[in-house]
Amino acid sequence: NKKRALIQRVKQKIEGTLQEKAQTNDTMVLRFKDTAKAMGDELPANIKADRLNYLREVQSRATQFRKAMQGYFQEQRDEVARNLAKQTEGKALELKAIDPDALFDAEANKRKLQQILKNHYVDNIDDGAGAVAGLLGTAQTAGFIETPAVQEFLRTKPTKLAEYINETTLNLLRSTLSEGVGAGEGLTELVGRIQSVYDDADGYRAETIARTE
């Protein structure tokens, strides 16, 4: 039907945007690796080692961050399922009985996600600064993370991204629950729809966020 087609188009649009960012990021990484390989014979052994260690650290950070995002989405999924059950307990299962904005605690989830993102950015900034300092043959500047530009980034970027991620999830939940209620589905089927949203979150969304951030 039209509503289902609209939900699918919105989902495809989100997937397309995230995948485009991931592909751009992958291209940049490959170009960096090709350039580094071409320069390899010209670099001292210690710098080659530093470069290799940095690339390994980047991959490790991305893996850790993806796992943190998956854990975050799984906890939020369980919260949404509990709150949906509470909202519909003893009531006729109608759309008016469901308050989408109360499916999860927006502020608490935002704070939790902000901290995950901030920790990830701090680690990456430290790694990047150390790698650049190594290439320049100088010691890393003490207090780099405390510079005004870095502090401004850490103050604003995690907040904006956390809000965007949660709003995207909430919009997907609103759409699929509205469709389910409209189709006369029961609580079990609606919980299945929630699971589907978070299967995507645990999968391609967590992977893409990790690759682009």
Side-chain angles (χ1 to χ4, degrees):
N1 59 32
K2 291 183 179 180
K3 185 177 292 184
R4 181 174 298 175
L6 177 60
I7 293 171
Q8 187 62 28
R9 286 199 300 272
V10 170
K11 183 178 179 180
Q12 289 173 346
K13 179 66 174 177
I14 294 170
E15 290 178 353
T17 300
L18 292 174
Q19 289 173 358
E20 183 178 341
K21 287 183 67 180
Q23 289 167 0
T24 300
N25 186 66
D26 285 348
T27 300
M28 292 173 65
V29 170
L30 289 173
R31 287 177 179 172
F32 173 75
K33 289 181 177 179
D34 289 342
T35 301
K37 183 178 180 181
M39 294 173 59
D41 293 337
E42 304 173 14
L43 295 175
N46 65 317
I47 294 182
K48 289 182 185 179
D50 287 344
R51 182 190 63 198
L52 182 58
N53 287 336
Y54 174 68
L55 290 175
R56 287 173 176 166
E57 190 64 31
V58 168
Q59 292 174 339
S60 176
R61 295 288 188 200
T63 299
Q64 293 171 12
F65 181 51
R66 182 175 65 251
K67 290 180 178 178
M69 290 301 305
Q70 288 172 334
Y72 170 78
F73 282 131
Q74 289 164 8
E75 288 181 7
Q76 190 181 80
R77 174 202 61 200
D78 293 343
E79 180 184 358
V80 169
R82 288 194 304 270
N83 286 333
L84 178 65
K86 289 178 181 178
Q87 288 185 29
T88 57
E89 185 177 6
K91 300 177 183 178
L93 198 57
E94 299 176 357
L95 185 59
K96 63 183 180 181
I98 299 174
D99 179 5
D101 294 326
L103 288 173
F104 59 81
D105 187 325
E107 280 303 312
N109 276 266
K110 183 175 78 170
R111 289 194 299 270
K112 186 185 301 181
L113 184 51
Q114 279 177 303
Q115 193 59 55
I116 292 172
L117 293 167
K118 184 175 181 179
N119 290 343
H120 176 65
Y121 291 138
V122 168
D123 288 340
N124 279 345
I125 290 169
D126 279 340
D127 290 343
V132 171
L135 288 172
L136 295 175
T138 61
Q140 184 174 337
T141 303
F144 176 76
I145 203 75
E146 300 299 329
T147 59
V150 173
Q151 285 297 302
E152 177 65 12
F153 173 84
L154 294 175
R155 186 183 67 81
T156 58
K157 176 67 173 180
T159 300
K160 291 179 180 179
L161 184 56
E163 290 173 347
Y164 171 76
I165 290 171
N166 283 336
E167 187 60 30
T168 298
T169 303
L170 191 54
N171 284 338
L172 291 170
L173 289 170
R174 286 188 184 113
S175 296
T176 193
L177 290 175
S178 175
E179 181 181 12
V181 171
E185 295 177 356
L187 184 59
T188 300
E189 289 81 9
L190 294 183
V191 170
R193 286 177 174 273
I194 291 172
Q195 181 64 53
S196 180
V197 168
Y198 283 100
D199 283 345
D200 287 343
D202 289 347
Y204 83 87
R205 285 183 67 198
E207 175 70 24
T208 305
I209 293 167
R211 290 163 64 189
T212 56
E213 295 302 323

